[in-house]
Amino acid sequence: AQSVAQPEDQVNVAEGNPLTVKCTYSVSGNPYLFWYVQYPNRGLQFLLKYITGDNLVKGSYGFEAEFNKSQTSFHLKKPSALVSDSALYFCAVRDENSGYSTLTFGKGTMLLVSP
Amino acid sequence: DSGVTQTPKHLITATGQRVTLRCSPRSGDLSVYWYQQSLDQGLQFLIQYYNGEERAKGNILERFSAQQFPDLHSELNLSSLELGDSALYFCASSVGRRGVTDTQYFGPGTRLTVL
């Protein structure tokens, strides 16, 4: 079975500071990992994904994520936070052995960036 | 804008009633997924269709059913509605060739309120 955990319900950061939103996963085979962002009353927007290759993945809006196989983590990062980054962030995983395309999502982390 | 459209945006109905939610995938996408998002359960995968056929099933209640039509749009039918069915219902689509590494693109959602 595949699972993903986002250990923080909320992350607070000041504008201009670096931000990290944590994600850990559990799969039986190789993981395929995704980050999505949800703004209020909107659908989920795709940010980035890791399939294979370079452990540092760059995505939309200046976000990047680092895949760490030994720690089974895929933390989302941004060097300098913006107030407009405030939103709900979801990590998701799919196991290469999961058959078809079932994605398992974490519970989400609310990011609040203060001016 | 992800290119996935959902109608209606909002739906208010009474317990015991039946509703139909509609989704049109992005142009060229063959897979459609349905998710339920609620405060207590988070984002739950319900069901996936690929080119008209059911491909994967998640935590979908027996009172719920879905189908994908030849033009690839999909409908989610919810019947005998209960208060606890109040939630945001998202549709997502992906190319669906191999499936496992596909990125899912989400629609704006339908907010269902059961009174």
Side-chain angles (χ1 to χ4, degrees):
Chain A
Q2 56 192 38
S3 66
V4 61
Q6 294 180 243
E8 302 153 318
D9 290 336
Q10 185 168 305
V11 170
N12 297 300
V13 65
E15 189 173 33
N17 283 359
L19 69 87
T20 299
V21 183
K22 295 180 181 177
C23 171
T24 59
Y25 65 89
S26 174
V27 295
S28 60
N30 286 319
Y32 301 120
L33 294 152
F34 300 76
W35 275 102
Y36 286 85
V37 59
Q38 184 179 25
Y39 296 98
N41 300 314
R42 302 283 294 276
L44 278 70
Q45 295 179 35
F46 169 70
L47 280 178
L48 52 80
K49 69 179 178 182
Y50 172 83
I51 303 300
T52 187
D54 195 348
N55 289 343
L56 186 63
V57 180
K58 293 192 183 297
S60 306
Y61 312 120
F63 284 94
E64 56 190 29
E66 187 169 11
F67 172 66
N68 187 317
K69 189 168 185 177
S70 63
Q71 296 187 7
T72 62
S73 67
F74 189 56
H75 300 333
L76 182 70
K77 301 182 180 188
K78 188 174 182 183
S80 178
L82 299 172
V83 172
S84 57
D85 293 330
S86 299
L88 186 59
Y89 289 80
F90 289 95
C91 181
V93 68
R94 188 186 293 134
D95 188 333
E96 67 171 351
N97 297 326
S98 67
Y100 294 116
S101 307
T102 303
L103 263 183
T104 298
F105 284 83
K107 289 197 172 297
T109 298
M110 179 64 70
L111 173 67
L112 293 175
V113 181
S114 55
Chain B
D1 183 2
S2 67
V4 179
T5 60
Q6 289 186 248
T7 56
K9 284 189 74 172
H10 302 278
L11 201 48
I12 301 174
T13 188
T15 54
Q17 294 299 303
R18 173 189 168 95
V19 297
T20 297
L21 313 184
R22 183 188 167 102
C23 168
S24 292
R26 295 186 321 157
S27 177
D29 283 358
L30 299 178
S31 276
V32 169
Y33 313 77
W34 286 98
Y35 291 87
Q36 180 193 59
Q37 186 180 33
S38 60
L39 280 175
D40 53 342
Q41 295 289 328
L43 198 60
Q44 298 282 318
F45 167 71
L46 296 178
I47 197 164
Q48 179 201 357
Y49 280 82
Y50 171 74
N51 205 19
E53 294 191 5
E54 182 182 307
R55 178 169 266 190
K57 220 167 186 176
N59 301 320
I60 188 166
L61 300 172
E62 284 192 14
R63 301 183 284 109
F64 296 0
S65 65
Q67 53 183 328
Q68 186 180 27
F69 295 86
D71 67 352
L72 301 177
H73 91 272
S74 178
E75 291 180 358
L76 178 67
N77 300 295
L78 315 176
S79 61
S80 303
L81 285 167
E82 302 174 359
L83 294 177
D85 297 328
S86 295
L88 259 173
Y89 291 84
F90 288 109
C91 167
S93 74
S94 73
V95 173
R97 275 193 303 264
R98 167 66 178 90
V100 184
T101 60
D102 279 359
T103 296
Q104 294 180 22
Y105 293 90
F106 283 73
T110 293
R111 182 172 292 281
L112 174 67
T113 303
V114 182
L115 301 175

